[in-house]
Amino acid sequence: MSDMSGLQPEHFHWQMEGSVATIRLARPERKNPLTFESYAELRDTFRALVYADDVDVVLFLPNEGNFCSGGDVHDIIGPLTKMDMKGLLNFTRMTGDLVKAMLGCGKPVISAVDGVAVGAGAIITMASDMRLATPEAKTAFLFTRVGLAGCDMGACAMLPRIIGQGRAAELLYTGRAMTAEEGERWGYFNRLVAAKDLETEALALAARIAAGPNFAHSITKTQLNHEWSMSPEQAIEAEAQAQAICMQTQDFHRAYEAFVAKEKPVFEGN
């Protein structure tokens, strides 16, 4: 296993709050855009999280009132117009690999959204397990507005599962912003929180999850992702096997012993 507490990324801000890792994208003066380098560094970080035993939850936070303005127009969009097909496919696969790494990292991921979360920034929120937002948050899958398809980084697979096919289709065809109120009503956001309370609420949610049985949480995340493509019969069998594994953990025994003693269990993730 690896230790992530000493991570010093070049292209985003990383901080540990206990076993909660917080990420803030950089360059707030540009509303925190992504670059080729930050995409790759985020991808590699989430790949490494699979083996990190000191991180239980990952929390994306806004930076100075905005979440992420997507791919930087000058650093990414401009160079893409000059690439050949092989270079373009290398890029689109890399961006998709960030989503795959987030889904496969084994840790619950929470996004706390304020201001703009557009393009790839919206995708990061979509690929998170839970989402909080301020009433001012605006989330847009705006690929069509730059002449591209809405099927970017898994959006056509994942967004309909969160908000429904028709609503997802509207956002992906028009590129318009989903308001925070729509996002909460449609089930995209778990809840809306005043801007002054967003980070406190998000950290409290992350801490609550981190205090739980974290090996079991990793199994829950795996099943939430894998069962998309299973029949009900396959899913029920997969969950039977997964739960039998969790019943062998010490946390399961701790919970039972605490219940018998009329105490609150203290989980250790093993």
Side-chain angles (χ1 to χ4, degrees), residues 98-167:
L98 169 57
V99 173
K100 291 179 187 177
M102 289 177 65
L103 298 178
C105 72
K107 321 289 182 183
V109 179
I110 303 169
S111 280
V113 185
D114 191 16
V116 299
V118 300
I123 295 289
I124 287 174
T125 71
M126 179 193 75
S128 300
D129 297 279
M130 290 153 278
R131 292 160 288 275
L132 305 182
T134 68
E136 296 75 33
K138 290 181 171 57
T139 308
F141 301 83
L142 44 62
F143 309 106
T144 190
R145 288 164 58 183
V146 295
L148 296 176
C151 55
D152 199 80
M153 300 171 71
C156 284
M158 299 172 67
L159 190 59
R161 297 175 188 273
I162 301 171
I163 64 173
Q165 186 84 3
R167 291 163 176 163

Side-chain angles (χ1 to χ4, degrees), residues 31 62 64-68 112-118 132-140 177-184 189 191-199:
K31 300 182 180 179
E64 295 188 20
N66 286 290
F67 189 80
C68 176
V113 185
D114 191 16
V116 299
V118 300
L132 305 182
T134 68
E136 296 75 33
K138 290 181 171 57
T139 308
M178 174 178 61
T179 67
E181 185 276 329
E182 285 176 322
E184 184 186 38
F189 294 120
R191 62 180 178 272
L192 301 185
V193 181
K196 65 181 179 63
D197 301 321
L198 178 66
E199 294 194 16

Side-chain angles (χ1 to χ4, degrees), residues 254 258-259 262-266:
R254 290 183 186 105
F259 179 81
K262 297 182 179 180
E263 299 172 351
K264 184 177 180 180
V266 178

Side-chain angles (χ1 to χ4, degrees), residues 15 28 38 47 53 80 111 153 156 205 219 224-225:
Q15 187 173 349
S38 60
R47 284 176 171 172
D53 55 4
L80 289 178
S111 280
M153 300 171 71
C156 284
L205 175 60
I219 296 292
L224 280 169
N225 293 327

Side-chain angles (χ1 to χ4, degrees), residues 11-231:
H11 303 288
F12 58 88
H13 305 291
W14 170 275
Q15 187 173 349
M16 295 287 292
E17 303 270 353
S19 65
V20 176
T22 64
I23 294 173
R24 295 179 200 267
L25 300 176
R27 296 196 297 166
E29 72 282 0
R30 298 279 295 279
K31 300 182 180 179
N32 313 309
L34 290 163
T35 64
F36 292 118
E37 294 78 16
S38 60
Y39 265 124
E41 194 167 34
L42 284 166
R43 174 203 61 196
D44 294 344
T45 299
F46 275 93
R47 284 176 171 172
L49 279 166
V50 176
Y51 308 104
D53 55 4
D54 61 333
V55 177
D56 293 321
V57 180
V58 181
L59 174 59
F60 275 96
L61 293 173
N63 191 357
E64 295 188 20
N66 286 290
F67 189 80
C68 176
S69 57
D72 188 278
V73 172
H74 301 293
D75 292 348
I76 288 185
I77 307 298
L80 289 178
T81 64
K82 300 176 177 65
M83 284 187 189
D84 61 14
M85 180 59 71
K86 182 177 180 181
L88 292 168
L89 187 56
N90 283 340
F91 169 72
T92 54
R93 283 177 171 160
M94 178 184 73
T95 63
D97 282 344
L98 169 57
V99 173
K100 291 179 187 177
M102 289 177 65
L103 298 178
C105 72
K107 321 289 182 183
V109 179
I110 303 169
S111 280
V113 185
D114 191 16
V116 299
V118 300
I123 295 289
I124 287 174
T125 71
M126 179 193 75
S128 300
D129 297 279
M130 290 153 278
R131 292 160 288 275
L132 305 182
T134 68
E136 296 75 33
K138 290 181 171 57
T139 308
F141 301 83
L142 44 62
F143 309 106
T144 190
R145 288 164 58 183
V146 295
L148 296 176
C151 55
D152 199 80
M153 300 171 71
C156 284
M158 299 172 67
L159 190 59
R161 297 175 188 273
I162 301 171
I163 64 173
Q165 186 84 3
R167 291 163 176 163
E170 180 188 346
L171 295 183
L172 296 177
Y173 279 124
T174 67
R176 77 165 178 85
M178 174 178 61
T179 67
E181 185 276 329
E182 285 176 322
E184 184 186 38
R185 180 158 46 89
W186 294 351
Y188 192 81
F189 294 120
N190 293 69
R191 62 180 178 272
L192 301 185
V193 181
K196 65 181 179 63
D197 301 321
L198 178 66
E199 294 194 16
T200 301
E201 290 271 339
L203 283 164
L205 175 60
R208 178 178 180 179
I209 295 168
N214 288 297
F215 175 83
H217 287 341
S218 73
I219 296 292
T220 299
K221 177 153 185 158
T222 297
Q223 295 308 122
L224 280 169
N225 293 327
H226 286 186
E227 291 183 32
W228 283 4
S229 57
M230 292 183 187
S231 68

